[in-house]
């Protein structure tokens, strides 16, 4: 279970205070994947980072009673000075997993060839994304986080293979995905929410969430 209890978060932009969340409370239960619709600029990445524990709330409490992943595509947890091999083994130890297994899994899935032994600083954005996505899938989590706005791989073969693995994992795990497009959420979400003006409106179905989202977008 992942729970936000009266959570507030805002930033000073230099000219005004941008409110991401204003005393928001909601809960994501294991077994019920959640899709969150949010217009660009409303704080999608900040919300996902807070779920992962990468950013702290200004007020309120975030409770994690399960193993929550880092956001798909997040590169802040890996070192550009280290190779993919070294990063995979280091992260495996942090999460208490077998370094040999995580290294072999990542090497097989990301398909970087000889670059797997090169520093991540030499990678393109797409290569880094392939590695971090592979790393996330190599680790065991109860809840996976996806921020659609993060860099994605353009490698079709990798996307098909990784997408198939993620789909299989979702049979026994839970997904939280944030996007500005309802079509992206249709494939995964059983429950939906809309992030608007610092509030998160929860709905039982994506169709209900789309009605509010479309109305606000047109207004």
């Amino acid at each position: 279970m992942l729970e936000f209890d009266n959570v507030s978060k805002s930033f000073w932009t230099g000219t005004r205070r941008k409110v991401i969340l204003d005393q928001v409370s909601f809960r994501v239960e294991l077994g019920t994947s959640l899709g969150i619709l949010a217009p660009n600029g409303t704080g999608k990445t900040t919300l996902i980072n807070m779920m992962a524990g990468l950013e702290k709330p200004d007020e309120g409490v975030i409770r994690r009673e399960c193993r929550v992943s880092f956001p798909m595509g997040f590169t802040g947890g890996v070192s550009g000075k280290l190779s993919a091999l070294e990063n995979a083994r280091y992260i495996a130890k942090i999460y208490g997993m077998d370094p040999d297994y995580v290294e072999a899994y990542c090497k097989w899935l990301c398909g970087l060839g000889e670059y797997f032994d090169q520093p991540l600083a030499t990678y393109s954005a797409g290569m880094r994304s392939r590695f971090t996505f592979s790393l996330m899938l190599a680790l065991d989590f109860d809840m996976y986080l996806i921020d659609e706005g993060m860099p994605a791989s353009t490698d079709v073969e990798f996307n098909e293979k990784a997408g198939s693995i993620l789909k299989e994992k979702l049979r026994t795990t839970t997904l939280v995905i944030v996007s500005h497009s309802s079509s992206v959420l249709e494939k995964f979400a059983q429950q939906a929410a809309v992030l608007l003006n610092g509030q998160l409106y929860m709905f039982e179905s994506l169709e209900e969430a789309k009605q509010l989202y479309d109305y606000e977008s047109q207004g």
Side-chain angles (χ1 to χ4, degrees):
M1 181 268 289
L2 172 67
E3 183 177 35
F4 278 45
D5 187 359
N6 288 317
V7 171
S8 295
K9 182 71 174 181
S10 63
F11 295 102
W12 178 250
T13 65
T15 57
R16 64 183 182 90
R17 182 157 294 281
K18 180 179 178 59
V19 177
I20 307 300
L21 297 177
D22 184 11
Q23 296 184 320
V24 168
S25 297
F26 68 94
R27 178 184 295 190
V28 183
E29 299 285 359
L30 291 181
T32 305
S33 292
L34 174 67
I36 302 176
L37 284 168
N40 290 326
T42 54
K44 294 192 296 292
T45 298
T46 299
L47 177 59
I48 282 286
N49 285 347
M50 292 172 71
M51 290 180 176
L54 300 173
E55 293 193 39
K56 295 181 178 180
D58 298 333
E59 297 177 351
V61 179
I62 300 175
R63 301 183 182 92
R64 301 173 192 84
E65 297 183 0
C66 61
R67 296 166 298 175
V68 181
S69 79
F70 48 86
M72 182 188 301
F74 175 71
T75 59
V78 294
S79 171
K81 296 180 181 179
L82 302 179
S83 66
L85 184 154
E86 292 167 327
N87 271 293
R89 299 187 69 85
Y90 174 71
I91 297 296
K93 292 176 182 177
I94 291 178
Y95 283 93
M97 293 189 64
D98 180 2
D100 290 339
Y101 167 79
V102 174
E103 174 195 334
Y105 188 99
C106 288
K107 190 171 186 178
W108 163 76
L109 180 55
C110 66
L112 294 175
E114 61 186 17
Y115 284 98
F116 198 76
D117 297 314
Q118 301 299 317
L120 262 65
T122 65
Y123 289 12
S124 66
M127 292 167 65
R128 287 175 69 98
S129 179
R130 280 161 59 186
F131 170 65
T132 54
F133 192 4
S134 300
L135 182 59
M136 184 184 76
L137 293 177
L139 303 173
D140 290 327
F141 297 108
D142 300 310
M143 188 176 294
Y144 287 85
L145 306 177
I146 297 181
D147 174 5
E148 194 214 1
M150 286 187 170
S153 170
T154 56
D155 187 285
V156 175
E157 182 180 353
F158 171 79
N159 288 341
E160 290 180 351
K161 186 160 57 173
S164 177
I165 294 170
L166 179 61
K167 185 176 181 180
E168 185 63 31
K169 278 183 173 287
L170 290 179
R171 295 180 185 274
T172 56
T173 58
T174 304
L175 176 70
V176 178
I177 178 170
V178 182
S179 174
H180 69 276
S181 172
S182 59
S183 62
V184 174
L185 307 186
E186 289 174 352
K187 302 175 184 178
F188 302 104
Q190 285 99 41
Q191 191 176 24
V194 179
L195 178 64
L196 283 172
N197 304 318
Q199 294 297 315
L200 191 76
Y201 302 93
M202 297 287 289
F203 296 92
E204 290 299 319
S205 69
L206 180 57
E207 282 303 317
E208 292 177 296
K210 283 171 60 177
Q211 289 181 15
L212 174 61
Y213 184 72
D214 292 341
Y215 175 79
E216 291 293 330
S217 298
Q218 291 170 4

